[in-house]
Coordinates of all heavy atoms in Angstrom, one line a residue:
M1 N 48.6 2.2 18.0 CA 47.8 1.1 18.4 C 46.4 1.3 17.7 O 45.8 2.3 17.6 CB 47.6 1.1 19.9 CG 46.8 -0.1 20.4 SD 46.8 -0.1 22.2 CE 45.2 0.5 22.5
I2 N 46.0 0.2 17.1 CA 44.7 0.2 16.4 C 43.6 -0.5 17.2 O 43.8 -1.7 17.6 CB 44.8 -0.5 15.0 CG1 45.9 0.2 14.2 CG2 43.5 -0.6 14.3 CD1 46.2 -0.5 12.9
T3 N 42.6 0.2 17.5 CA 41.5 -0.4 18.2 C 40.3 -0.4 17.2 O 40.1 0.5 16.4 CB 41.1 0.4 19.5 OG1 40.9 1.7 19.1 CG2 42.2 0.3 20.5
D4 N 39.5 -1.5 17.4 CA 38.4 -1.6 16.5 C 37.1 -1.0 17.0 O 36.4 -1.6 17.8 CB 38.2 -3.1 16.2 CG 37.1 -3.4 15.1 OD1 36.7 -2.4 14.5 OD2 36.7 -4.5 14.9
N5 N 36.9 0.2 16.6 CA 35.7 0.9 17.1 C 34.5 0.8 16.1 O 33.5 1.4 16.4 CB 36.0 2.4 17.3 CG 36.8 2.6 18.6 OD1 36.7 1.8 19.6 ND2 37.7 3.5 18.6
L6 N 34.7 0.2 15.0 CA 33.7 0.1 14.0 C 32.4 -0.6 14.5 O 31.3 -0.2 14.1 CB 34.2 -0.6 12.7 CG 35.2 0.2 11.9 CD1 35.8 -0.6 10.8 CD2 34.6 1.5 11.4
D7 N 32.6 -1.6 15.3 CA 31.4 -2.3 15.8 C 30.5 -1.4 16.6 O 29.3 -1.4 16.5 CB 31.9 -3.5 16.7 CG 32.4 -4.6 15.8 OD1 32.1 -4.6 14.6 OD2 33.1 -5.5 16.4
D8 N 31.2 -0.5 17.4 CA 30.4 0.4 18.2 C 29.6 1.4 17.3 O 28.4 1.7 17.5 CB 31.3 1.2 19.1 CG 31.9 0.4 20.2 OD1 31.2 -0.6 20.6 OD2 32.9 0.7 20.7
L9 N 30.2 1.8 16.2 CA 29.5 2.7 15.3 C 28.3 2.0 14.6 O 27.2 2.6 14.5 CB 30.5 3.2 14.2 CG 31.5 4.2 14.7 CD1 32.5 4.5 13.6 CD2 30.8 5.5 15.2
D10 N 28.5 0.8 14.2 CA 27.4 0.0 13.6 C 26.2 -0.1 14.6 O 25.1 0.0 14.2 CB 27.9 -1.4 13.2 CG 28.7 -1.3 11.9 OD1 28.7 -0.2 11.3 OD2 29.4 -2.3 11.6
N11 N 26.5 -0.4 15.8 CA 25.5 -0.5 16.8 C 24.6 0.8 16.9 O 23.4 0.7 17.0 CB 26.0 -0.9 18.1 CG 26.5 -2.4 18.1 OD1 26.1 -3.1 17.3 ND2 27.4 -2.7 19.1
E12 N 25.3 1.9 16.9 CA 24.6 3.1 17.0 C 23.7 3.4 15.8 O 22.6 3.8 15.9 CB 25.5 4.3 17.1 CG 26.2 4.4 18.5 CD 27.1 5.6 18.6 OE1 26.9 6.6 18.0 OE2 28.1 5.4 19.4
N13 N 24.2 3.0 14.6 CA 23.4 3.2 13.4 C 22.2 2.3 13.3 O 21.2 2.7 12.7 CB 24.3 2.9 12.1 CG 25.3 4.0 11.9 OD1 25.1 5.1 12.4 ND2 26.3 3.8 11.1
S14 N 22.3 1.2 14.0 CA 21.1 0.2 13.9 C 19.9 0.8 14.6 O 18.8 0.2 14.5 CB 21.5 -1.1 14.4 OG 21.7 -1.0 15.8
S15 N 20.1 1.8 15.4 CA 19.0 2.3 16.2 C 18.3 3.5 15.5 O 17.5 4.2 16.1 CB 19.4 2.8 17.6 OG 20.3 3.9 17.5
E16 N 18.5 3.6 14.2 CA 17.9 4.7 13.5 C 16.3 4.5 13.4 O 15.9 3.4 13.4 CB 18.4 4.8 12.1 CG 18.0 3.7 11.1 CD 18.7 3.7 9.8 OE1 19.9 4.0 9.8 OE2 18.0 3.5 8.8
P17 N 15.6 5.6 13.5 CA 14.1 5.4 13.6 C 13.6 4.9 12.3 O 14.1 5.1 11.2 CB 13.7 6.9 13.8 CG 14.8 7.7 13.2 CD 16.0 7.0 13.5
K18 N 12.5 4.1 12.4 CA 11.8 3.5 11.3 C 10.5 4.2 11.0 O 9.6 3.7 10.4 CB 11.6 2.0 11.5 CG 12.9 1.3 11.4 CD 12.8 -0.2 11.8 CE 14.1 -0.9 11.9 NZ 14.0 -2.2 12.4
E19 N 10.3 5.4 11.6 CA 9.1 6.2 11.5 C 8.9 6.8 10.1 O 7.8 7.4 9.9 CB 9.0 7.2 12.6 CG 9.5 6.8 13.9 CD 8.6 5.7 14.5 OE1 7.4 5.7 14.2 OE2 9.1 4.8 15.2
S20 N 9.9 6.8 9.3 CA 9.8 7.5 8.0 C 8.9 6.8 7.0 O 8.6 7.4 6.0 CB 11.2 7.7 7.4 OG 11.8 6.5 7.3
R21 N 8.4 5.6 7.3 CA 7.5 4.9 6.4 C 6.2 5.7 6.3 O 5.7 6.3 7.3 CB 7.2 3.5 6.9 CG 8.3 2.5 6.5 CD 8.4 2.2 5.1 NE 7.2 1.5 4.6 CZ 6.9 1.2 3.4 NH1 7.7 1.6 2.4 NH2 5.8 0.6 3.1
S22 N 5.6 5.6 5.1 CA 4.4 6.4 4.9 C 3.2 5.8 5.7 O 3.0 4.6 5.8 CB 4.1 6.3 3.4 OG 2.7 6.6 3.2
Y23 N 2.5 6.7 6.3 CA 1.2 6.3 6.9 C 0.0 6.5 6.0 O -1.1 6.3 6.4 CB 1.0 7.0 8.2 CG 1.9 6.5 9.3 CD1 3.0 7.3 9.8 CD2 1.7 5.3 9.9 CE1 3.8 6.8 10.8 CE2 2.5 4.9 10.9 CZ 3.6 5.6 11.4 OH 4.4 5.2 12.4
F24 N 0.3 6.9 4.8 CA -0.8 7.2 3.9 C -1.2 6.0 3.1 O -1.4 6.0 1.9 CB -0.4 8.3 2.9 CG -0.1 9.6 3.6 CD1 1.2 10.0 3.8 CD2 -1.1 10.5 3.9 CE1 1.5 11.2 4.5 CE2 -0.8 11.7 4.5 CZ 0.4 12.0 4.8
E25 N -1.4 4.9 3.9 CA -1.8 3.7 3.2 C -3.1 3.2 3.9 O -3.1 3.1 5.1 CB -0.7 2.6 3.4 CG -0.7 1.6 2.2 CD 0.6 0.8 2.3 OE1 0.7 0.1 3.3 OE2 1.3 0.8 1.3
A26 N -4.1 3.0 3.1 CA -5.4 2.7 3.7 C -5.8 1.3 3.2 O -5.7 1.0 2.0 CB -6.4 3.7 3.3
E27 N -6.3 0.4 4.1 CA -6.8 -0.8 3.6 C -8.2 -0.6 3.1 O -9.1 -0.1 3.8 CB -6.7 -1.9 4.8 CG -7.1 -3.3 4.3 CD -6.9 -4.3 5.4 OE1 -6.5 -3.9 6.5 OE2 -7.2 -5.5 5.1
Q28 N -8.5 -1.1 1.9 CA -9.8 -1.0 1.3 C -10.2 -2.3 0.8 O -9.4 -3.3 0.7 CB -9.7 0.1 0.2 CG -9.4 1.5 0.6 CD -10.6 2.1 1.4 OE1 -11.7 1.8 1.2 NE2 -10.3 2.9 2.4
Q29 N -11.4 -2.4 0.3 CA -12.0 -3.6 -0.3 C -12.6 -3.3 -1.6 O -13.2 -2.2 -1.8 CB -13.0 -4.3 0.7 CG -12.3 -4.8 1.9 CD -13.3 -5.4 2.8 OE1 -14.5 -5.1 2.9 NE2 -12.9 -6.5 3.5
Y30 N -12.5 -4.2 -2.5 CA -13.4 -4.0 -3.7 C -14.0 -5.4 -4.0 O -13.6 -6.4 -3.6 CB -12.5 -3.6 -4.9 CG -11.6 -4.7 -5.5 CD1 -12.1 -5.5 -6.6 CD2 -10.3 -4.9 -5.1 CE1 -11.3 -6.5 -7.1 CE2 -9.5 -5.9 -5.6 CZ -10.0 -6.7 -6.6 OH -9.2 -7.6 -7.2
Q31 N -15.1 -5.3 -4.7 CA -15.9 -6.5 -5.1 C -15.5 -6.9 -6.5 O -15.6 -6.0 -7.4 CB -17.4 -6.2 -5.0 CG -18.2 -7.5 -4.9 CD -19.6 -7.2 -4.6 OE1 -20.2 -6.2 -5.0 NE2 -20.3 -8.1 -3.9
C32 N -15.0 -8.1 -6.7 CA -14.6 -8.6 -8.0 C -15.8 -8.4 -9.0 O -16.9 -8.8 -8.7 CB -14.2 -10.0 -7.9 SG -13.9 -10.7 -9.5
A33 N -15.5 -7.8 -10.1 CA -16.6 -7.6 -11.1 C -17.0 -8.9 -11.8 O -18.0 -8.9 -12.5 CB -16.1 -6.5 -12.1
A34 N -16.2 -9.9 -11.7 CA -16.5 -11.2 -12.3 C -17.2 -12.1 -11.4 O -18.3 -12.7 -11.8 CB -15.2 -11.8 -12.8
C35 N -16.8 -12.3 -10.2 CA -17.4 -13.3 -9.4 C -18.0 -12.8 -8.1 O -18.7 -13.5 -7.4 CB -16.3 -14.4 -9.0 SG -15.1 -13.8 -7.8
G36 N -17.8 -11.5 -7.8 CA -18.5 -10.8 -6.7 C -17.7 -11.0 -5.4 O -18.2 -10.6 -4.3
E37 N -16.6 -11.7 -5.4 CA -15.8 -11.9 -4.2 C -15.2 -10.6 -3.7 O -14.8 -9.8 -4.5 CB -14.7 -13.0 -4.5 CG -14.0 -13.5 -3.2 CD -14.9 -14.3 -2.3 OE1 -15.7 -15.1 -2.8 OE2 -14.8 -14.1 -1.1
T38 N -15.2 -10.5 -2.4 CA -14.6 -9.2 -1.8 C -13.1 -9.4 -1.7 O -12.6 -10.4 -1.1 CB -15.2 -8.9 -0.5 OG1 -16.6 -8.7 -0.6 CG2 -14.6 -7.7 0.1
N39 N -12.3 -8.5 -2.2 CA -10.9 -8.5 -2.2 C -10.3 -7.4 -1.3 O -10.9 -6.3 -1.4 CB -10.3 -8.4 -3.6 CG -10.4 -9.7 -4.4 OD1 -9.4 -10.3 -4.7 ND2 -11.6 -10.0 -4.8
D40 N -9.3 -7.7 -0.6 CA -8.6 -6.6 0.2 C -7.5 -6.0 -0.6 O -6.8 -6.7 -1.3 CB -8.0 -7.1 1.5 CG -9.1 -7.6 2.5 OD1 -10.2 -6.9 2.5 OD2 -8.9 -8.5 3.2
I41 N -7.5 -4.7 -0.6 CA -6.4 -4.0 -1.3 C -5.8 -2.9 -0.4 O -6.5 -2.4 0.5 CB -6.8 -3.4 -2.7 CG1 -8.0 -2.5 -2.5 CG2 -7.0 -4.5 -3.7 CD1 -8.3 -1.7 -3.7
F42 N -4.6 -2.5 -0.7 CA -4.0 -1.4 0.0 C -3.9 -0.2 -0.9 O -3.4 -0.4 -2.0 CB -2.6 -1.8 0.6 CG -2.7 -2.6 1.8 CD1 -2.6 -4.0 1.8 CD2 -2.9 -2.0 3.1 CE1 -2.7 -4.7 2.9 CE2 -3.0 -2.7 4.2 CZ -2.9 -4.1 4.2
V43 N -4.4 0.9 -0.5 CA -4.4 2.1 -1.3 C -3.3 3.0 -0.7 O -3.4 3.4 0.5 CB -5.8 2.8 -1.3 CG1 -5.7 4.1 -2.1 CG2 -6.8 1.8 -1.9
D44 N -2.4 3.4 -1.5 CA -1.4 4.4 -1.1 C -1.9 5.7 -1.5 O -1.9 6.2 -2.6 CB 0.0 4.1 -1.8 CG 1.1 4.9 -1.3 OD1 0.8 5.8 -0.5 OD2 2.2 4.7 -1.6
I45 N -2.4 6.4 -0.4 CA -3.0 7.7 -0.6 C -2.0 8.7 -1.2 O -2.4 9.7 -1.9 CB -3.7 8.2 0.7 CG1 -4.8 7.2 1.0 CG2 -4.2 9.6 0.5 CD1 -5.4 7.5 2.4
A46 N -0.7 8.6 -0.9 CA 0.3 9.5 -1.4 C 0.4 9.4 -2.9 O 1.0 10.3 -3.5 CB 1.6 9.1 -0.8
E47 N -0.2 8.4 -3.5 CA -0.1 8.3 -5.0 C -1.1 9.3 -5.7 O -1.0 9.4 -6.9 CB -0.5 6.9 -5.4 CG 0.6 5.8 -5.1 CD 1.8 6.0 -5.9 OE1 1.7 6.1 -7.1 OE2 2.9 6.0 -5.3
G48 N -2.0 9.9 -4.9 CA -2.8 10.8 -5.5 C -4.3 10.6 -5.2 O -4.7 9.5 -4.7
Y49 N -5.1 11.6 -5.5 CA -6.6 11.5 -5.1 C -7.4 10.7 -6.1 O -8.5 10.4 -5.9 CB -7.1 12.9 -5.0 CG -6.6 13.6 -3.8 CD1 -6.0 14.9 -4.0 CD2 -6.7 13.1 -2.5 CE1 -5.5 15.6 -2.9 CE2 -6.2 13.8 -1.4 CZ -5.6 15.0 -1.6 OH -5.1 15.7 -0.5
S50 N -6.8 10.5 -7.3 CA -7.5 9.7 -8.3 C -6.5 8.7 -8.9 O -5.4 9.0 -9.4 CB -8.0 10.6 -9.4 OG -8.6 9.9 -10.4
Q51 N -6.8 7.4 -8.7 CA -5.9 6.4 -9.1 C -6.6 5.3 -9.9 O -7.8 5.1 -9.7 CB -5.2 5.7 -7.9 CG -4.5 6.7 -7.0 CD -3.9 6.0 -5.8 OE1 -3.5 4.9 -5.8 NE2 -3.9 6.7 -4.7
S52 N -5.9 4.6 -10.7 CA -6.4 3.5 -11.5 C -5.4 2.5 -11.7 O -4.3 2.8 -12.1 CB -7.0 4.0 -12.8 OG -7.6 3.0 -13.6
F53 N -5.7 1.2 -11.4 CA -4.7 0.2 -11.6 C -5.5 -1.2 -11.7 O -6.7 -1.2 -11.5 CB -3.7 0.1 -10.4 CG -4.3 0.1 -9.1 CD1 -4.7 -1.1 -8.5 CD2 -4.6 1.3 -8.4 CE1 -5.2 -1.1 -7.2 CE2 -5.1 1.3 -7.1 CZ -5.5 0.1 -6.5
V54 N -4.7 -2.2 -12.0 CA -5.3 -3.5 -12.3 C -5.0 -4.4 -11.1 O -3.8 -4.5 -10.7 CB -4.8 -4.1 -13.6 CG1 -5.3 -5.5 -13.8 CG2 -5.2 -3.2 -14.8
E55 N -6.0 -5.1 -10.6 CA -5.8 -6.1 -9.6 C -6.4 -7.4 -10.0 O -7.5 -7.4 -10.6 CB -6.4 -5.6 -8.3 CG -5.7 -4.6 -7.5 CD -4.6 -5.3 -6.6 OE1 -4.8 -6.4 -6.1 OE2 -3.5 -4.6 -6.5
E56 N -5.8 -8.5 -9.7 CA -6.4 -9.8 -10.0 C -7.1 -10.3 -8.8 O -6.6 -10.3 -7.7 CB -5.3 -10.8 -10.5 CG -4.8 -10.5 -11.9 CD -3.8 -11.5 -12.3 OE1 -3.5 -12.5 -11.6 OE2 -3.2 -11.3 -13.4
C57 N -8.3 -10.8 -9.0 CA -9.1 -11.3 -7.9 C -8.4 -12.6 -7.4 O -8.0 -13.4 -8.1 CB -10.5 -11.7 -8.5 SG -11.5 -12.6 -7.3
Y58 N -8.4 -12.7 -6.1 CA -7.8 -13.8 -5.5 C -8.6 -15.1 -5.7 O -8.1 -16.2 -5.6 CB -7.5 -13.6 -4.0 CG -8.7 -13.8 -3.1 CD1 -8.9 -15.1 -2.5 CD2 -9.6 -12.8 -2.8 CE1 -10.0 -15.3 -1.7 CE2 -10.7 -13.0 -2.0 CZ -10.9 -14.3 -1.4 OH -11.9 -14.5 -0.6
A59 N -9.9 -14.9 -5.9 CA -10.8 -16.1 -6.0 C -10.8 -16.7 -7.4 O -10.8 -17.9 -7.6 CB -12.2 -15.7 -5.5
C60 N -10.9 -15.8 -8.4 CA -11.1 -16.3 -9.8 C -10.0 -15.8 -10.7 O -10.0 -16.2 -11.9 CB -12.5 -15.8 -10.3 SG -12.5 -14.0 -10.7
D61 N -9.0 -15.1 -10.2 CA -7.9 -14.7 -11.0 C -8.2 -13.7 -12.2 O -7.3 -13.5 -13.0 CB -7.1 -15.9 -11.6 CG -6.3 -16.6 -10.5 OD1 -6.0 -15.9 -9.4 OD2 -6.0 -17.8 -10.6
K62 N -9.4 -13.2 -12.2 CA -9.8 -12.3 -13.3 C -9.2 -10.9 -13.0 O -9.4 -10.5 -11.8 CB -11.3 -12.3 -13.5 CG -11.8 -13.6 -14.1 CD -12.5 -13.4 -15.4 CE -12.8 -14.7 -16.1 NZ -13.8 -15.5 -15.3
P63 N -8.7 -10.2 -13.9 CA -8.2 -8.9 -13.7 C -9.3 -7.9 -13.5 O -10.2 -7.9 -14.4 CB -7.3 -8.6 -14.9 CG -7.8 -9.4 -15.9 CD -8.4 -10.7 -15.3
N64 N -9.3 -7.1 -12.5 CA -10.2 -6.0 -12.3 C -9.5 -4.7 -12.5 O -8.4 -4.5 -12.0 CB -10.8 -6.1 -10.9 CG -11.9 -7.2 -10.7 OD1 -13.0 -6.9 -10.6 ND2 -11.4 -8.4 -10.7
Q65 N -10.2 -3.8 -13.2 CA -9.7 -2.4 -13.3 C -10.2 -1.7 -12.1 O -11.4 -1.5 -11.9 CB -10.2 -1.7 -14.6 CG -9.7 -0.3 -14.7 CD -8.3 -0.2 -15.2 OE1 -7.9 -0.9 -16.1 NE2 -7.5 0.6 -14.6
I66 N -9.3 -1.3 -11.2 CA -9.7 -0.6 -9.9 C -9.6 0.9 -10.1 O -8.6 1.4 -10.6 CB -8.8 -1.1 -8.8 CG1 -8.8 -2.6 -8.7 CG2 -9.2 -0.5 -7.5 CD1 -10.1 -3.3 -8.4
T67 N -10.6 1.6 -9.7 CA -10.6 3.0 -9.8 C -10.7 3.5 -8.3 O -11.6 3.2 -7.6 CB -11.7 3.6 -10.6 OG1 -11.7 2.9 -11.9 CG2 -11.6 5.0 -10.8
I68 N -9.7 4.3 -7.9 CA -9.7 4.9 -6.6 C -10.0 6.4 -6.7 O -9.4 7.1 -7.5 CB -8.4 4.7 -5.9 CG1 -8.0 3.2 -5.9 CG2 -8.4 5.3 -4.5 CD1 -8.8 2.4 -5.0
A69 N -10.9 6.8 -5.9 CA -11.2 8.3 -5.8 C -11.2 8.7 -4.3 O -11.9 8.1 -3.5 CB -12.6 8.6 -6.4
I70 N -10.3 9.6 -4.0 CA -10.2 10.1 -2.6 C -10.7 11.5 -2.5 O -10.2 12.4 -3.2 CB -8.7 10.0 -2.1 CG1 -8.3 8.5 -2.2 CG2 -8.6 10.5 -0.7 CD1 -6.8 8.3 -2.2
D71 N -11.6 11.7 -1.6 CA -12.1 13.1 -1.3 C -11.0 13.8 -0.6 O -10.7 13.5 0.6 CB -13.4 13.0 -0.5 CG -14.1 14.4 -0.4 OD1 -13.3 15.3 -0.2 OD2 -15.3 14.4 -0.6
P72 N -10.5 14.9 -1.2 CA -9.4 15.6 -0.5 C -9.8 16.3 0.8 O -9.0 16.7 1.6 CB -8.9 16.6 -1.6 CG -10.0 16.7 -2.5 CD -10.8 15.4 -2.5
N73 N -11.1 16.6 0.9 CA -11.6 17.3 2.1 C -11.8 16.3 3.3 O -11.4 16.6 4.4 CB -12.9 18.0 1.8 CG -12.7 19.1 0.8 OD1 -11.7 19.9 0.9 ND2 -13.5 19.2 -0.2
T74 N -12.4 15.2 3.0 CA -12.8 14.3 4.1 C -11.8 13.1 4.2 O -11.8 12.4 5.2 CB -14.2 13.7 3.8 OG1 -14.2 12.9 2.6 CG2 -15.2 14.8 3.7
G75 N -11.0 12.9 3.1 CA -10.1 11.7 3.1 C -10.9 10.4 2.8 O -10.3 9.3 2.9
Q76 N -12.2 10.5 2.5 CA -13.0 9.3 2.2 C -12.5 8.7 0.9 O -12.3 9.4 -0.1 CB -14.4 9.7 2.1 CG -15.4 8.6 1.8 CD -16.3 8.2 3.0 OE1 -16.4 9.0 3.9 NE2 -16.8 7.0 3.0
V77 N -12.3 7.4 1.0 CA -11.8 6.6 -0.2 C -13.0 5.9 -0.8 O -13.6 5.1 -0.2 CB -10.7 5.7 0.2 CG1 -10.1 5.0 -1.0 CG2 -9.6 6.4 0.9
S78 N -13.2 6.1 -2.1 CA -14.1 5.3 -2.9 C -13.4 4.4 -3.8 O -12.4 4.7 -4.4 CB -15.1 6.2 -3.7 OG -15.4 7.3 -3.0
V79 N -13.9 3.1 -3.9 CA -13.2 2.1 -4.7 C -14.2 1.6 -5.7 O -15.3 1.2 -5.3 CB -12.7 1.0 -3.8 CG1 -12.0 -0.1 -4.7 CG2 -11.8 1.5 -2.7
G80 N -13.9 1.6 -7.0 CA -14.7 1.0 -8.0 C -14.0 -0.1 -8.7 O -12.7 -0.1 -8.8
S81 N -14.7 -1.0 -9.2 CA -14.1 -2.1 -10.0 C -14.8 -2.4 -11.2 O -16.1 -2.4 -11.3 CB -14.0 -3.4 -9.1 OG -15.3 -3.8 -8.7
D82 N -14.1 -2.6 -12.3 CA -14.7 -3.0 -13.6 C -13.9 -4.2 -14.2 O -12.7 -4.3 -14.0 CB -14.6 -1.8 -14.6 CG -15.6 -0.7 -14.3 OD1 -16.8 -1.0 -14.3 OD2 -15.2 0.4 -14.0
L83 N -14.7 -5.0 -14.8 CA -14.1 -6.2 -15.4 C -13.3 -5.8 -16.7 O -13.9 -5.0 -17.5 CB -15.1 -7.2 -15.8 CG -14.6 -8.6 -16.1 CD1 -13.8 -9.2 -14.9 CD2 -15.8 -9.5 -16.4
I84 N -12.1 -6.3 -16.9 CA -11.4 -6.0 -18.1 C -11.7 -7.1 -19.1 O -11.5 -8.2 -18.9 CB -9.9 -5.9 -17.8 CG1 -9.6 -4.8 -16.8 CG2 -9.1 -5.7 -19.1 CD1 -8.1 -4.8 -16.4
S85 N -12.2 -6.6 -20.3 CA -12.6 -7.6 -21.3 C -11.5 -7.9 -22.2 O -10.6 -7.1 -22.3 CB -13.8 -7.1 -22.0 OG -13.6 -5.8 -22.5
Ligands
LIG101 ZN1 -13.3 -12.8 -8.9

C-alpha cells in the first residue's frame, strides 16, 4: 500500500528558520555630490571595513562614488561621496 507522506515532509521543511540572513547591514545616508540631495543606502558591513562603489542619486541620476569606512573598534560607519566626472 502506498501512502502519500510527502506532503507532511514538505510542511516540516517549510518551518526552517530564516534567522540566517545577515544582520550586518546598516542603513546610511550620503549627500549627492552633484545636487546635495540626501540619499539612503544600505551598507553591508560584512563586505569589509573599507568599501567603494557607485550609486546613482535618486534625485538627479548622477553617479556618485561612495566611499565607506567602518571603524573596526566602534563599528562607526563613515560615508563619503564624490562626483564621477
Ligand atoms: Zn543628486
Side-chain angles (χ1 to χ4, degrees):
M1 187 171 103
I2 299 171
T3 52
D4 187 8
N5 286 327
L6 288 175
D7 284 342
D8 291 333
L9 289 173
D10 283 345
N11 287 340
E12 284 180 32
N13 285 342
S14 69
S15 65
E16 73 187 41
K18 292 172 182 172
E19 315 295 328
S20 56
R21 280 287 296 171
S22 162
Y23 285 107
F24 296 99
E25 210 170 59
E27 187 173 1
Q28 295 290 328
Q29 294 180 327
Y30 75 90
Q31 198 171 33
C32 174
C35 72
E37 190 66 40
T38 300
N39 285 250
D40 291 328
I41 51 170
F42 282 97
V43 177
D44 188 351
I45 295 174
E47 291 290 313
Y49 292 124
S50 179
Q51 302 175 35
S52 183
F53 51 88
V54 174
E55 281 278 324
E56 284 181 6
C57 173
Y58 82 90
C60 71
D61 285 338
K62 292 243 170 61
N64 284 250
Q65 180 79 46
I66 307 299
T67 308
I68 305 291
I70 300 165
D71 189 316
N73 296 315
T74 64
Q76 179 110 19
V77 181
S78 320
V79 183
S81 58
D82 283 301
L83 194 61
I84 299 174
S85 54

